[in-house]
Every structure is written in C-alpha cells, then in structure tokens.
Amino acid sequence: MKQGKRYAEVAKAVDRQVKYAELDAIQLVKKNATAKFDETVELHIRTGCDGRHADQQVRGSVVLPAGTGKNVRILVFAKDAKADEALAAGADFVGADDLVPRIQDGWFDYDVVIATPDMMGVVGRIGRLLGPKGLMPNPKLGTVTMDVAKAIADTKAGKVEYRLDKANIIHVPVGKASFSEEQLKSNLDTLMAAIVKARPSSLKGTYLKSITLTSTMGPGVKLDGLQFGA
C-alpha cells in the first residue's frame, strides 16, 4: 500500500530491525503521531495460537488504569428496576424488545452492549447482527450481568476487550497520543500482563511472536516481549 509523504517522513525515525524498550517505543509513537486529530495508540500482537481450536482461543477484558480517552456509548438491554439502574449509572441507551427492530434496521450508534441474563433471549434474536461487529454481550467479558451499574462503570473507566482475530492477531487500544508517557506505560503494562496471563495451556511453542505499538496514522514500533515476561 502506497504511503503518503507525512508517513514516509515520520517512519524514518523507526528502525524496523530493532525491538525497542517500552518507554522508548512509547516516546517514538507519541512523536510520530502528527495527524490533525488525537490519534489512538494501538497494540498489535501476532500470536502462535490457532484460533480454530477452542483450547487456543485468547479472549478477555481489562480495565486500563488511565482509561482509553474515548467517550464510550453504552447500550443496555434490561427492564424494570435494572433498566432504571442502568439509566442512573449513565447508560446512553436502555431498552428491551423495543430495541430489536431498531437494530434490525441498521442502528449501531453505540460502542458496547450490556445485557442482564434474563434479556439474552431477546438479544439472541439479533446475535447475527451484533456478533460480527464485536457487540454481542458475553458473560466471560462481564457484559452479561445483573450488576449493570458495575459493568457500566468499568466500561466508562476504560475497560477494553482483547481477542484473536481470524489471523490469530490481537488488536487493542492502549490510549491516546495525547496521554503522558506514564499513562501509556501504565495502560500497556496492565494490558500486557493480562494477555501474557491468558496464554492457552495447550499451546506449544512461541505465544507472542511479535508485539507492535503504533498510532492510528503512524508507523509501527516493535517491542521486546521479554520486558513483559512474554
């Protein structure tokens, strides 16, 4: 893919043959985030897992200490007292069966979907629409729960989900380029600790083959996985 002049210029600062120390990588990514908007700092990890096998799936969630820097829109499937609880906790949209036709008509103006267990029958009717967009509530991720207030608070505080894509790569946001080096380091340390801990016990060989930190419009900077215990 052909890159623009701006990208080519900032890419000169990155040695693609080097695996950088954590703070050095963060400094480079921040320096190279020169777009006219506050770029997202992203972590991309190529794993040795084979996601076709259930025992080699990697999926979980973690609350980033410094947050994500993003205003997350939350949709909650709940009714009666739990719907009131969700609204009081700051959910952007709350409903039940009435939400189904809206979503079937293509409404996706939200970033996270949370549901109480008794509403999963309703949510299941639109699972084929929510699933491909990564929006399907999941009890393992804390998005199917009776404690909707805590789920909403965690999400707004900076909870992110990590999982393998079809190419067995993990893509997850770490924060914003405007964050301080200390904030990005804290988020990255927390995220890497969770991913390292999530190594499938059945996996033989290398778990994390490459770790790259980048910004939305910037070049990738390779990280040395040994500093994270990988």
Side-chain angles (χ1 to χ4, degrees), residues 121-163:
V122 174
V123 177
R125 286 153 49 192
I126 47 175
R128 62 183 180 82
L129 299 174
L130 297 177
K133 294 183 178 292
L135 294 169
M136 189 67 180
N138 187 318
K140 292 182 179 179
L141 301 175
T143 48
V144 177
T145 176
M146 288 301 289
D147 194 348
V148 293
K150 182 179 185 303
I152 292 167
D154 284 348
T155 300
K156 288 187 176 292
K159 186 166 116 176
V160 295
E161 177 186 345
Y162 56 86
R163 61 176 175 175

Short mmCIF file of all heavy atoms in Angstrom, two decimals, residues 121-163:
data_model
loop_
_atom_site.label_atom_id
_atom_site.label_comp_id
_atom_site.label_asym_id
_atom_site.label_seq_id
_atom_site.Cartn_x
_atom_site.Cartn_y
_atom_site.Cartn_z
N GLY A 121 -32.39 -13.88 25.74
CA GLY A 121 -33.29 -14.45 24.74
C GLY A 121 -33.64 -13.41 23.69
O GLY A 121 -33.72 -13.72 22.49
N VAL A 122 -33.85 -12.18 24.13
CA VAL A 122 -34.14 -11.08 23.22
C VAL A 122 -32.90 -10.73 22.39
O VAL A 122 -32.96 -10.58 21.17
CB VAL A 122 -34.62 -9.83 24.00
CG1 VAL A 122 -34.78 -8.63 23.07
CG2 VAL A 122 -35.93 -10.13 24.72
N VAL A 123 -31.76 -10.63 23.08
CA VAL A 123 -30.51 -10.28 22.40
C VAL A 123 -30.15 -11.34 21.36
O VAL A 123 -29.63 -11.03 20.28
CB VAL A 123 -29.37 -10.12 23.42
CG1 VAL A 123 -28.05 -9.84 22.71
CG2 VAL A 123 -29.68 -8.99 24.40
N GLY A 124 -30.45 -12.60 21.66
CA GLY A 124 -30.13 -13.69 20.75
C GLY A 124 -30.79 -13.54 19.39
O GLY A 124 -30.26 -14.01 18.37
N ARG A 125 -31.91 -12.86 19.35
CA ARG A 125 -32.62 -12.66 18.07
C ARG A 125 -31.85 -11.77 17.11
O ARG A 125 -32.08 -11.79 15.90
CB ARG A 125 -34.01 -12.07 18.34
CG ARG A 125 -34.99 -13.09 18.91
CD ARG A 125 -36.08 -12.48 19.76
NE ARG A 125 -36.76 -11.34 19.14
CZ ARG A 125 -37.59 -10.53 19.81
NH1 ARG A 125 -37.84 -10.73 21.11
NH2 ARG A 125 -38.18 -9.53 19.20
N ILE A 126 -30.93 -10.97 17.65
CA ILE A 126 -30.13 -10.08 16.80
C ILE A 126 -28.64 -10.40 16.92
O ILE A 126 -27.79 -9.60 16.56
CB ILE A 126 -30.38 -8.60 17.18
CG1 ILE A 126 -30.30 -8.40 18.69
CG2 ILE A 126 -31.71 -8.11 16.61
CD1 ILE A 126 -30.42 -6.98 19.15
N GLY A 127 -28.36 -11.61 17.41
CA GLY A 127 -26.97 -12.02 17.58
C GLY A 127 -26.18 -12.01 16.29
O GLY A 127 -25.00 -11.67 16.27
N ARG A 128 -26.83 -12.37 15.18
CA ARG A 128 -26.13 -12.41 13.89
C ARG A 128 -25.76 -11.01 13.41
O ARG A 128 -24.91 -10.85 12.53
CB ARG A 128 -26.98 -13.12 12.85
CG ARG A 128 -28.30 -12.43 12.56
CD ARG A 128 -29.14 -13.23 11.57
NE ARG A 128 -30.42 -12.57 11.31
CZ ARG A 128 -30.59 -11.58 10.45
NH1 ARG A 128 -29.55 -11.13 9.76
NH2 ARG A 128 -31.76 -11.03 10.26
N LEU A 129 -26.42 -9.98 13.98
CA LEU A 129 -26.09 -8.60 13.64
C LEU A 129 -25.03 -8.03 14.59
O LEU A 129 -24.12 -7.32 14.16
CB LEU A 129 -27.35 -7.73 13.68
CG LEU A 129 -28.47 -8.13 12.71
CD1 LEU A 129 -29.71 -7.28 12.96
CD2 LEU A 129 -28.02 -7.97 11.26
N LEU A 130 -25.17 -8.35 15.87
CA LEU A 130 -24.24 -7.82 16.87
C LEU A 130 -22.89 -8.55 16.84
O LEU A 130 -21.83 -7.93 17.01
CB LEU A 130 -24.85 -7.94 18.27
CG LEU A 130 -26.12 -7.14 18.54
CD1 LEU A 130 -26.63 -7.43 19.95
CD2 LEU A 130 -25.87 -5.64 18.38
N GLY A 131 -22.93 -9.88 16.62
CA GLY A 131 -21.72 -10.69 16.68
C GLY A 131 -20.61 -10.24 15.76
O GLY A 131 -19.47 -10.01 16.21
N PRO A 132 -20.87 -10.07 14.46
CA PRO A 132 -19.81 -9.67 13.53
C PRO A 132 -19.19 -8.31 13.85
O PRO A 132 -18.07 -8.02 13.45
CB PRO A 132 -20.53 -9.64 12.18
CG PRO A 132 -21.66 -10.59 12.33
CD PRO A 132 -22.11 -10.41 13.75
N LYS A 133 -19.92 -7.47 14.59
CA LYS A 133 -19.42 -6.14 14.95
C LYS A 133 -18.73 -6.15 16.31
O LYS A 133 -18.31 -5.11 16.82
CB LYS A 133 -20.55 -5.12 14.94
CG LYS A 133 -21.13 -4.87 13.55
CD LYS A 133 -22.21 -3.80 13.60
CE LYS A 133 -22.75 -3.52 12.21
NZ LYS A 133 -21.73 -2.86 11.34
N GLY A 134 -18.62 -7.34 16.92
CA GLY A 134 -17.98 -7.45 18.23
C GLY A 134 -18.80 -6.86 19.35
O GLY A 134 -18.27 -6.47 20.39
N LEU A 135 -20.13 -6.79 19.17
CA LEU A 135 -21.00 -6.15 20.15
C LEU A 135 -21.83 -7.12 20.98
O LEU A 135 -22.56 -6.70 21.87
CB LEU A 135 -21.96 -5.18 19.42
CG LEU A 135 -21.32 -3.96 18.76
CD1 LEU A 135 -22.33 -3.25 17.87
CD2 LEU A 135 -20.77 -3.00 19.81
N MET A 136 -21.74 -8.41 20.69
CA MET A 136 -22.56 -9.39 21.40
C MET A 136 -22.15 -9.49 22.86
O MET A 136 -20.97 -9.72 23.17
CB MET A 136 -22.43 -10.76 20.72
CG MET A 136 -23.41 -11.79 21.24
SD MET A 136 -25.11 -11.35 20.77
CE MET A 136 -25.99 -12.74 21.51
N PRO A 137 -23.09 -9.30 23.79
CA PRO A 137 -22.76 -9.43 25.21
C PRO A 137 -22.23 -10.83 25.53
O PRO A 137 -22.68 -11.82 24.94
CB PRO A 137 -24.10 -9.18 25.90
CG PRO A 137 -24.89 -8.37 24.93
CD PRO A 137 -24.49 -8.89 23.58
N ASN A 138 -21.30 -10.90 26.46
CA ASN A 138 -20.64 -12.16 26.79
C ASN A 138 -20.40 -12.20 28.30
O ASN A 138 -19.74 -11.30 28.84
CB ASN A 138 -19.33 -12.26 26.02
CG ASN A 138 -18.66 -13.60 26.18
OD1 ASN A 138 -18.60 -14.17 27.26
ND2 ASN A 138 -18.13 -14.13 25.08
N PRO A 139 -20.87 -13.24 28.99
CA PRO A 139 -20.67 -13.31 30.45
C PRO A 139 -19.19 -13.34 30.84
O PRO A 139 -18.82 -12.83 31.90
CB PRO A 139 -21.39 -14.59 30.85
CG PRO A 139 -21.59 -15.37 29.58
CD PRO A 139 -21.69 -14.35 28.49
N LYS A 140 -18.33 -13.94 29.98
CA LYS A 140 -16.90 -14.01 30.29
C LYS A 140 -16.24 -12.63 30.28
O LYS A 140 -15.19 -12.43 30.89
CB LYS A 140 -16.19 -14.93 29.29
CG LYS A 140 -16.59 -16.39 29.42
CD LYS A 140 -15.82 -17.25 28.44
CE LYS A 140 -16.19 -18.72 28.58
NZ LYS A 140 -15.46 -19.57 27.62
N LEU A 141 -16.88 -11.69 29.58
CA LEU A 141 -16.34 -10.33 29.50
C LEU A 141 -17.04 -9.37 30.45
O LEU A 141 -16.76 -8.18 30.48
CB LEU A 141 -16.47 -9.80 28.06
CG LEU A 141 -15.75 -10.63 27.00
CD1 LEU A 141 -16.04 -10.08 25.61
CD2 LEU A 141 -14.25 -10.67 27.25
N GLY A 142 -17.98 -9.91 31.22
CA GLY A 142 -18.69 -9.08 32.19
C GLY A 142 -19.78 -8.22 31.59
O GLY A 142 -20.30 -7.32 32.25
N THR A 143 -20.17 -8.52 30.34
CA THR A 143 -21.23 -7.73 29.71
C THR A 143 -22.59 -8.42 29.73
O THR A 143 -23.56 -7.90 29.21
CB THR A 143 -20.85 -7.38 28.25
OG1 THR A 143 -20.39 -8.55 27.58
CG2 THR A 143 -19.74 -6.32 28.23
N VAL A 144 -22.64 -9.62 30.32
CA VAL A 144 -23.92 -10.24 30.67
C VAL A 144 -23.91 -10.37 32.19
O VAL A 144 -23.18 -11.18 32.75
CB VAL A 144 -24.09 -11.63 30.02
CG1 VAL A 144 -25.42 -12.26 30.47
CG2 VAL A 144 -24.07 -11.52 28.51
N THR A 145 -24.67 -9.53 32.86
CA THR A 145 -24.57 -9.45 34.31
C THR A 145 -25.81 -8.79 34.91
O THR A 145 -26.47 -7.98 34.25
CB THR A 145 -23.32 -8.63 34.72
OG1 THR A 145 -23.28 -8.48 36.14
CG2 THR A 145 -23.34 -7.24 34.08
N MET A 146 -26.09 -9.13 36.16
CA MET A 146 -27.17 -8.44 36.88
C MET A 146 -26.65 -7.14 37.49
O MET A 146 -27.44 -6.26 37.81
CB MET A 146 -27.73 -9.35 37.98
CG MET A 146 -28.57 -10.51 37.46
SD MET A 146 -30.00 -9.98 36.48
CE MET A 146 -31.05 -9.28 37.76
N ASP A 147 -25.32 -7.05 37.64
CA ASP A 147 -24.74 -5.83 38.21
C ASP A 147 -24.44 -4.85 37.06
O ASP A 147 -23.27 -4.61 36.73
CB ASP A 147 -23.48 -6.16 39.00
CG ASP A 147 -23.02 -5.01 39.89
OD1 ASP A 147 -23.55 -3.89 39.73
OD2 ASP A 147 -22.14 -5.23 40.74
N VAL A 148 -25.49 -4.31 36.47
CA VAL A 148 -25.29 -3.44 35.31
C VAL A 148 -24.56 -2.15 35.68
O VAL A 148 -23.81 -1.60 34.87
CB VAL A 148 -26.64 -3.12 34.62
CG1 VAL A 148 -27.23 -4.37 33.99
CG2 VAL A 148 -27.63 -2.49 35.58
N ALA A 149 -24.74 -1.68 36.90
CA ALA A 149 -24.07 -0.45 37.32
C ALA A 149 -22.56 -0.61 37.30
O ALA A 149 -21.83 0.26 36.82
CB ALA A 149 -24.54 -0.04 38.72
N LYS A 150 -22.07 -1.75 37.80
CA LYS A 150 -20.62 -2.01 37.80
C LYS A 150 -20.11 -2.17 36.37
O LYS A 150 -19.03 -1.67 36.02
CB LYS A 150 -20.29 -3.26 38.61
CG LYS A 150 -18.79 -3.55 38.68
CD LYS A 150 -18.48 -4.79 39.50
CE LYS A 150 -16.97 -4.98 39.67
NZ LYS A 150 -16.25 -5.08 38.38
N ALA A 151 -20.87 -2.89 35.54
CA ALA A 151 -20.45 -3.09 34.15
C ALA A 151 -20.33 -1.75 33.42
O ALA A 151 -19.40 -1.53 32.65
CB ALA A 151 -21.45 -4.01 33.44
N ILE A 152 -21.27 -0.88 33.66
CA ILE A 152 -21.25 0.45 33.04
C ILE A 152 -20.07 1.27 33.57
O ILE A 152 -19.34 1.91 32.81
CB ILE A 152 -22.58 1.19 33.28
CG1 ILE A 152 -23.71 0.49 32.51
CG2 ILE A 152 -22.48 2.66 32.86
CD1 ILE A 152 -25.10 0.95 32.90
N ALA A 153 -19.86 1.21 34.88
CA ALA A 153 -18.76 1.97 35.49
C ALA A 153 -17.40 1.49 34.97
O ALA A 153 -16.53 2.31 34.64
CB ALA A 153 -18.81 1.83 37.01
N ASP A 154 -17.24 0.17 34.87
CA ASP A 154 -15.97 -0.38 34.36
C ASP A 154 -15.74 0.05 32.91
O ASP A 154 -14.62 0.40 32.52
CB ASP A 154 -15.98 -1.91 34.44
CG ASP A 154 -15.78 -2.43 35.86
OD1 ASP A 154 -15.42 -1.62 36.73
OD2 ASP A 154 -16.00 -3.63 36.08
N THR A 155 -16.80 -0.01 32.11
CA THR A 155 -16.67 0.36 30.70
C THR A 155 -16.29 1.82 30.54
O THR A 155 -15.40 2.17 29.76
CB THR A 155 -17.99 0.08 29.95
OG1 THR A 155 -18.30 -1.31 30.06
CG2 THR A 155 -17.88 0.46 28.49
N LYS A 156 -16.94 2.68 31.29
CA LYS A 156 -16.63 4.10 31.21
C LYS A 156 -15.26 4.42 31.79
O LYS A 156 -14.64 5.42 31.40
CB LYS A 156 -17.73 4.91 31.92
CG LYS A 156 -19.04 4.95 31.15
CD LYS A 156 -20.05 5.89 31.78
CE LYS A 156 -21.32 6.00 30.96
NZ LYS A 156 -21.11 6.68 29.66
N ALA A 157 -14.78 3.57 32.71
CA ALA A 157 -13.47 3.80 33.33
C ALA A 157 -12.33 3.41 32.41
O ALA A 157 -11.17 3.74 32.68
CB ALA A 157 -13.38 3.03 34.64
N GLY A 158 -12.64 2.67 31.34
CA GLY A 158 -11.58 2.30 30.40
C GLY A 158 -11.41 0.82 30.18
O GLY A 158 -10.31 0.34 29.92
N LYS A 159 -12.50 0.06 30.30
CA LYS A 159 -12.40 -1.39 30.05
C LYS A 159 -12.28 -1.66 28.56
O LYS A 159 -13.04 -1.12 27.76
CB LYS A 159 -13.63 -2.11 30.60
CG LYS A 159 -13.54 -3.62 30.51
CD LYS A 159 -14.60 -4.26 31.37
CE LYS A 159 -15.58 -5.02 30.55
NZ LYS A 159 -16.57 -5.73 31.37
N VAL A 160 -11.31 -2.48 28.18
CA VAL A 160 -11.12 -2.86 26.77
C VAL A 160 -11.14 -4.38 26.66
O VAL A 160 -10.82 -5.10 27.61
CB VAL A 160 -9.80 -2.32 26.19
CG1 VAL A 160 -9.81 -0.80 26.15
CG2 VAL A 160 -8.59 -2.82 26.99
N GLU A 161 -11.53 -4.85 25.50
CA GLU A 161 -11.57 -6.28 25.23
C GLU A 161 -10.41 -6.64 24.30
O GLU A 161 -10.10 -5.90 23.38
CB GLU A 161 -12.90 -6.64 24.56
CG GLU A 161 -13.01 -8.10 24.16
CD GLU A 161 -14.27 -8.40 23.38
OE1 GLU A 161 -15.19 -7.56 23.39
OE2 GLU A 161 -14.32 -9.47 22.74
N TYR A 162 -9.80 -7.78 24.56
CA TYR A 162 -8.77 -8.29 23.65
C TYR A 162 -9.17 -9.70 23.23
O TYR A 162 -9.72 -10.47 24.00
CB TYR A 162 -7.39 -8.31 24.31
CG TYR A 162 -7.31 -9.09 25.61
CD1 TYR A 162 -7.07 -10.47 25.60
CD2 TYR A 162 -7.49 -8.46 26.83
CE1 TYR A 162 -7.01 -11.19 26.78
CE2 TYR A 162 -7.44 -9.17 28.02
CZ TYR A 162 -7.20 -10.54 27.99
OH TYR A 162 -7.16 -11.25 29.15
N ARG A 163 -8.93 -10.01 21.95
CA ARG A 163 -9.25 -11.35 21.44
C ARG A 163 -8.54 -11.56 20.11
O ARG A 163 -8.14 -10.61 19.43
CB ARG A 163 -10.75 -11.51 21.26
CG ARG A 163 -11.37 -10.54 20.26
CD ARG A 163 -12.85 -10.86 20.08
NE ARG A 163 -13.50 -9.89 19.22
CZ ARG A 163 -14.77 -9.98 18.83
NH1 ARG A 163 -15.50 -11.00 19.23
NH2 ARG A 163 -15.29 -9.06 18.05
#
